[in-house]
DNA sequence: CTCAATGCAAAGTATTTGCAACCGA
DNA sequence: TCGGTTGCAAATACTTTGCATTGAG
């Protein structure tokens, strides 16, 4: 499983290996979705909807509900990472400057991280013709058992 | 409007001033919600649901739809800040380590920020009995006109 | 008075679930 | 075969909208 091995695999084979290493059964649908996600070895950002459309576009018959379920399964297995605060609920803060937040994964509780407790020493250069509107930092916390 | 002025206001008066300074009409419902949000001068994190419950608890009759609408109005007026990536849509990333993201506000497009382009030199101490599960950084971008 | 704000219900969008049919090991 | 997986439709959760009514300036 060296890096050079990975280079020469077909998308299908790469997808299957990705699934097997995570202990997931490589079913037809999972292989199709996995192949769309990592078949070319590049990273991707998808929503359930966008992945569903991509699958449809290449003729892979996967239902939208299965795409949702599969994304969840992949995420639980550590193959994907969900971006941003989970859940469909929006939070609003009476502090309007950019500042970091603590977010408790278990119960969805949100609170301010102590002022001055974080320093970002280097910010990425925004792409040409775009400017930075703000920076959101969410520190996800897990209660210790 | 000095800091010491702010100290001695009643919650109601503070709320009304907050609204007026943002150019919003201080209606009964808005004052009730504003008072719950900043009446004691402390910062708060709310969801539409939690604010609705808080209002109900103090006997303020405000419909849930109005709470949603009012939070949006407050946010548009700069009185509140919405936390996390906006929109009810979840994004999934094939890269599973913590790394920063660019998020285009206009069209919801998501992409990786260049590797190594950000450095967080100081992380907050997590509260006792909690550990940091991860750090999400989303750099919101606005296209230049 | 006038127009913005409200409230309700209904619509809209995102996501999950129940359960029968299916399929890979 | 057996239990994990799929697919559909229905359910759920969250949020916005249409429109008639209300109320602040």
């Amino acid at each position: 499983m060296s890096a050079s091995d990975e280079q020469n695999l077909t998308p299908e084979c790469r997808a299957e290996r990705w699934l097997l290493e995570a202990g997931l059964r490589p079913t037809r649908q999972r292989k199709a979705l996995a192949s769309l996600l990592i078949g070319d070895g590049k990273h991707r950002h998808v929503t359930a909807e966008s992945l569903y459309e991509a699958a449809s576009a290449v003729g892979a018959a996967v239902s939208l509900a299965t795409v949702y379920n599969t994304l969840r399964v992949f995420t639980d297995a550590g193959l994907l990472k969900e971006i941003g605060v989970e859940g469909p609920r929006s939070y609003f803060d009476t502090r309007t400057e950019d500042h970091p937040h603590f977010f408790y994964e278990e119960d969805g509780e949100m609170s301010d991280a102590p002022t001055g407790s974080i320093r970002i020493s280097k910010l990425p250069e925004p792409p040409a013709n775009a400017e930075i509107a703000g920076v959101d930092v969410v520190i996800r916390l897990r209660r210790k058992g």
Side-chain angles (χ1 to χ4, degrees), chain A:
Chain A
M1 190 181 86
S2 73
S4 57
D5 280 346
E6 298 285 333
Q7 300 305 320
N8 303 313
L9 296 174
T10 64
E12 293 68 28
C13 182
R14 198 194 300 263
E16 184 154 358
R17 178 181 289 201
W18 192 57
L19 293 170
L20 289 173
E21 284 177 4
L24 298 176
R25 237 197 248 173
T27 64
R28 180 176 56 80
Q29 293 85 344
R30 287 178 177 176
K31 282 188 284 186
L33 296 181
S35 183
L36 289 168
L37 286 169
I38 50 92
D40 63 0
K42 292 183 191 167
H43 285 302
R44 247 174 213 81
H45 302 84
V46 302
T47 63
E49 192 67 30
S50 76
L51 185 56
Y52 173 68
E53 282 168 12
S56 304
V58 299
V62 184
S63 78
L64 181 55
T66 295
V67 173
Y68 274 105
N69 292 335
T70 302
L71 284 174
R72 185 101 298 134
V73 168
F74 285 4
T75 302
D76 290 345
L79 293 175
L80 297 178
K81 187 167 133 61
E82 193 166 4
I83 303 175
V85 171
E86 5 226 318
R89 196 174 320 197
S90 292
Y91 283 84
F92 297 88
D93 189 347
T94 55
R95 251 178 99 184
T96 53
E97 330 93 69
D98 280 338
H99 64 284
H101 289 98
F102 284 141
F103 175 74
Y104 288 88
E105 296 190 323
E106 288 88 351
D107 51 20
E109 190 187 316
M110 180 84 80
S111 67
D112 282 352
T115 309
S117 62
I118 195 171
R119 173 162 28 248
I120 297 178
S121 51
K122 201 169 141 211
L123 259 189
E125 200 61 32
N129 74 16
E131 58 187 0
I132 294 181
V135 180
D136 292 335
V137 178
V138 176
I139 298 156
R140 285 174 283 109
L141 298 179
R142 194 162 20 218
R143 291 190 210 285
K144 279 189 284 201

